[in-house]
Coordinates of all heavy atoms in Angstrom, one line a residue:
T72 N -48.4 40.9 -36.3 CA -47.0 40.4 -36.6 C -47.0 38.9 -36.7 O -46.4 38.3 -37.6 CB -46.0 41.1 -35.7 OG1 -46.1 42.5 -35.7 CG2 -44.6 40.6 -36.0
L73 N -47.4 38.3 -35.6 CA -47.4 36.8 -35.5 C -48.4 36.1 -36.4 O -48.0 35.0 -37.0 CB -47.8 36.4 -34.1 CG -46.8 36.8 -32.9 CD1 -47.4 36.5 -31.6 CD2 -45.4 35.9 -33.2
L74 N -49.5 36.7 -36.6 CA -50.6 36.0 -37.4 C -51.1 37.1 -38.5 O -52.2 37.6 -38.3 CB -51.7 35.7 -36.5 CG -51.4 34.8 -35.3 CD1 -52.6 34.6 -34.4 CD2 -51.0 33.4 -35.8
P75 N -50.3 37.3 -39.5 CA -50.8 38.3 -40.5 C -52.1 37.8 -41.3 O -52.2 36.6 -41.5 CB -49.6 38.4 -41.5 CG -48.5 37.4 -41.0 CD -49.1 36.7 -39.8
A76 N -52.9 38.8 -41.6 CA -54.1 38.5 -42.4 C -53.8 38.4 -43.8 O -54.1 39.4 -44.5 CB -55.1 39.5 -41.9
D77 N -53.1 37.3 -44.2 CA -52.9 37.2 -45.6 C -53.2 35.9 -46.1 O -53.9 35.1 -45.5 CB -51.4 37.5 -45.9 CG -50.4 36.7 -45.1 OD1 -50.8 35.5 -44.7 OD2 -49.3 37.1 -44.9
D78 N -52.8 35.4 -47.2 CA -53.2 34.2 -47.9 C -52.3 33.0 -47.6 O -52.5 32.0 -48.2 CB -53.3 34.4 -49.4 CG -52.0 34.6 -50.1 OD1 -51.0 34.8 -49.4 OD2 -52.0 34.8 -51.3
R79 N -51.5 33.0 -46.6 CA -50.7 32.0 -46.2 C -51.4 30.8 -45.5 O -50.8 29.7 -45.4 CB -49.5 32.4 -45.3 CG -50.0 32.7 -43.9 CD -48.8 33.3 -43.1 NE -48.4 34.6 -43.6 CZ -47.3 35.1 -43.4 NH1 -46.4 34.6 -42.6 NH2 -47.0 36.3 -43.8
W80 N -52.6 31.0 -45.0 CA -53.3 30.1 -44.2 C -54.1 29.1 -45.0 O -54.7 29.3 -46.0 CB -54.3 30.8 -43.3 CG -53.6 31.9 -42.5 CD1 -53.6 33.2 -42.8 CD2 -52.7 31.7 -41.4 NE1 -52.8 33.9 -42.0 CE2 -52.3 33.0 -41.1 CE3 -52.2 30.6 -40.7 CZ2 -51.3 33.2 -40.1 CZ3 -51.4 30.9 -39.6 CH2 -50.9 32.1 -39.3
Q81 N -53.9 27.7 -44.5 CA -54.6 26.6 -45.3 C -56.1 26.8 -45.0 O -56.8 26.4 -45.9 CB -54.1 25.3 -44.6 CG -52.7 25.2 -44.7 CD -52.2 24.2 -45.8 OE1 -52.9 23.4 -46.2 NE2 -51.0 24.4 -46.2
H82 N -56.5 27.3 -43.9 CA -58.0 27.4 -43.6 C -58.5 28.7 -44.3 O -58.0 29.8 -44.0 CB -58.2 27.6 -42.1 CG -59.6 27.6 -41.6 ND1 -60.1 26.5 -41.0 CD2 -60.5 28.5 -41.6 CE1 -61.4 26.8 -40.7 NE2 -61.7 28.0 -41.1
R83 N -59.3 28.5 -45.3 CA -59.6 29.6 -46.3 C -61.1 29.7 -46.5 O -61.7 29.3 -47.4 CB -59.0 29.3 -47.6 CG -57.5 29.3 -47.6 CD -56.9 29.1 -49.0 NE -55.6 28.8 -49.0 CZ -54.6 29.8 -49.3 NH1 -55.1 31.0 -49.6 NH2 -53.4 29.6 -49.2
H84 N -61.8 30.4 -45.5 CA -63.2 30.8 -45.7 C -63.3 32.1 -45.1 O -62.5 32.5 -44.2 CB -64.2 29.7 -45.3 CG -64.3 29.7 -43.7 ND1 -65.0 30.6 -43.0 CD2 -63.7 28.8 -43.0 CE1 -65.0 30.2 -41.7 NE2 -64.1 29.2 -41.6
G85 N -64.4 32.9 -45.3 CA -64.5 34.1 -44.7 C -63.7 35.2 -45.3 O -63.2 35.1 -46.4
S86 N -63.3 36.1 -44.5 CA -62.5 37.3 -44.9 C -61.1 36.9 -45.3 O -60.6 35.8 -44.8 CB -62.4 38.4 -43.8 OG -63.6 38.9 -43.5
P87 N -60.5 37.6 -46.2 CA -59.0 37.2 -46.4 C -58.2 37.1 -45.2 O -58.3 38.0 -44.4 CB -58.6 38.4 -47.4 CG -59.9 39.0 -48.0 CD -60.9 38.7 -46.9
G88 N -57.5 36.1 -45.1 CA -56.6 35.9 -43.9 C -57.3 35.4 -42.7 O -56.7 35.2 -41.7
H89 N -58.5 34.9 -42.9 CA -59.4 34.5 -41.8 C -58.8 33.2 -41.1 O -59.0 33.0 -39.9 CB -60.8 34.2 -42.2 CG -61.7 33.5 -41.2 ND1 -62.0 34.1 -40.0 CD2 -62.3 32.3 -41.2 CE1 -62.9 33.3 -39.3 NE2 -62.9 32.2 -39.9
G90 N -58.0 32.5 -41.8 CA -57.4 31.2 -41.2 C -56.5 31.6 -40.0 O -56.4 30.8 -39.0
R91 N -55.9 32.8 -39.9 CA -55.2 33.2 -38.7 C -56.0 33.2 -37.5 O -55.6 33.0 -36.4 CB -54.5 34.5 -38.9 CG -55.6 35.7 -38.9 CD -54.9 37.0 -39.1 NE -55.9 38.0 -38.9 CZ -55.8 39.0 -38.0 NH1 -54.8 39.1 -37.3 NH2 -56.8 39.9 -38.0
D92 N -57.3 33.6 -37.7 CA -58.2 33.7 -36.6 C -58.4 32.4 -35.9 O -58.6 32.3 -34.7 CB -59.7 34.3 -37.0 CG -59.5 35.7 -37.6 OD1 -58.7 36.5 -37.1 OD2 -60.3 35.9 -38.5
H93 N -58.3 31.3 -36.6 CA -58.4 29.9 -36.1 C -57.1 29.5 -35.4 O -57.3 28.6 -34.6 CB -58.7 28.9 -37.2 CG -60.2 29.1 -37.6 ND1 -61.3 28.6 -37.0 CD2 -60.7 29.9 -38.6 CE1 -62.4 28.9 -37.6 NE2 -62.1 29.7 -38.6
V94 N -56.1 30.2 -35.6 CA -54.8 29.9 -34.9 C -54.7 30.7 -33.6 O -54.0 30.3 -32.7 CB -53.6 30.2 -35.8 CG1 -52.3 30.0 -35.1 CG2 -53.7 29.3 -37.1
L95 N -55.4 31.9 -33.5 CA -55.4 32.7 -32.4 C -55.5 32.0 -31.0 O -54.7 32.2 -30.1 CB -56.4 33.8 -32.5 CG -56.6 34.7 -31.2 CD1 -55.5 35.7 -31.2 CD2 -58.0 35.4 -31.2
P96 N -56.5 31.1 -30.9 CA -56.6 30.4 -29.5 C -55.5 29.6 -29.1 O -55.4 29.2 -27.8 CB -57.9 29.6 -29.7 CG -58.6 30.2 -30.8 CD -57.6 30.7 -31.7
A97 N -54.5 29.3 -30.0 CA -53.3 28.6 -29.6 C -52.3 29.6 -28.9 O -51.5 29.1 -28.1 CB -52.7 27.9 -30.7
I98 N -52.5 30.9 -29.2 CA -51.6 31.8 -28.6 C -52.3 32.6 -27.5 O -51.7 32.9 -26.4 CB -51.2 32.9 -29.7 CG1 -50.3 32.1 -30.7 CG2 -50.4 34.0 -29.2 CD1 -50.0 32.8 -32.0
V99 N -53.6 33.0 -27.7 CA -54.4 33.5 -26.6 C -55.5 32.5 -26.4 O -56.4 32.4 -27.1 CB -55.0 34.9 -27.1 CG1 -55.9 35.5 -26.0 CG2 -53.9 35.9 -27.5
P100 N -55.3 31.7 -25.3 CA -56.3 30.6 -25.1 C -57.8 31.1 -24.9 O -57.9 32.2 -24.5 CB -55.7 29.9 -23.8 CG -54.8 30.9 -23.2 CD -54.3 31.9 -24.2
P101 N -58.7 30.2 -25.0 CA -60.0 30.6 -25.0 C -60.6 30.6 -23.5 O -61.8 30.6 -23.3 CB -60.8 29.5 -25.8 CG -59.8 28.3 -25.7 CD -58.5 28.9 -25.6
H102 N -59.7 30.5 -22.5 CA -60.1 30.4 -21.1 C -59.1 30.9 -20.2 O -57.9 31.0 -20.5 CB -60.4 28.9 -20.7 CG -59.2 28.1 -20.9 ND1 -58.2 27.9 -19.9 CD2 -58.7 27.4 -22.0 CE1 -57.3 27.1 -20.4 NE2 -57.5 26.8 -21.6
V103 N -59.5 31.2 -19.0 CA -58.6 31.6 -17.9 C -59.3 31.2 -16.6 O -60.5 31.4 -16.6 CB -58.2 33.0 -18.0 CG1 -59.3 34.0 -17.7 CG2 -57.0 33.4 -16.9
T104 N -58.6 30.7 -15.6 CA -59.1 30.5 -14.4 C -58.4 31.3 -13.3 O -57.2 31.4 -13.3 CB -59.0 29.0 -13.9 OG1 -59.7 28.2 -14.9 CG2 -59.6 28.7 -12.5
L105 N -59.2 32.1 -12.5 CA -58.6 33.2 -11.6 C -59.1 32.9 -10.1 O -60.2 32.5 -9.9 CB -59.0 34.5 -12.0 CG -58.6 34.9 -13.5 CD1 -59.4 36.0 -14.0 CD2 -57.1 35.2 -13.5
P106 N -58.2 33.3 -9.2 CA -58.6 33.1 -7.7 C -59.6 34.2 -7.4 O -59.6 35.3 -7.8 CB -57.3 33.3 -7.0 CG -56.4 34.1 -7.9 CD -56.9 33.8 -9.3
V107 N -60.6 33.8 -6.5 CA -61.6 34.6 -6.0 C -61.4 34.6 -4.4 O -61.4 33.5 -3.8 CB -63.0 34.2 -6.3 CG1 -64.1 35.1 -5.6 CG2 -63.2 34.3 -7.9
I108 N -61.1 35.7 -3.8 CA -60.8 35.8 -2.4 C -61.8 36.6 -1.7 O -62.0 37.8 -2.1 CB -59.4 36.3 -2.1 CG1 -58.3 35.5 -2.8 CG2 -59.1 36.2 -0.5 CD1 -58.2 34.0 -2.5
G109 N -62.6 36.1 -0.7 CA -63.6 36.9 -0.1 C -64.7 37.4 -1.0 O -65.3 38.5 -0.9

Side-chain angles (χ1 to χ4, degrees):
T72 299
L73 291 170
L74 304 171
D77 58 23
D78 64 356
R79 74 183 67 202
W80 307 101
Q81 306 257 335
H82 188 101
R83 296 178 187 263
H84 71 83
S86 298
H89 173 65
R91 75 178 183 125
D92 299 324
H93 289 273
V94 177
L95 173 76
I98 296 169
V99 181
H102 60 89
V103 65
T104 301
L105 300 162
V107 176
I108 308 297

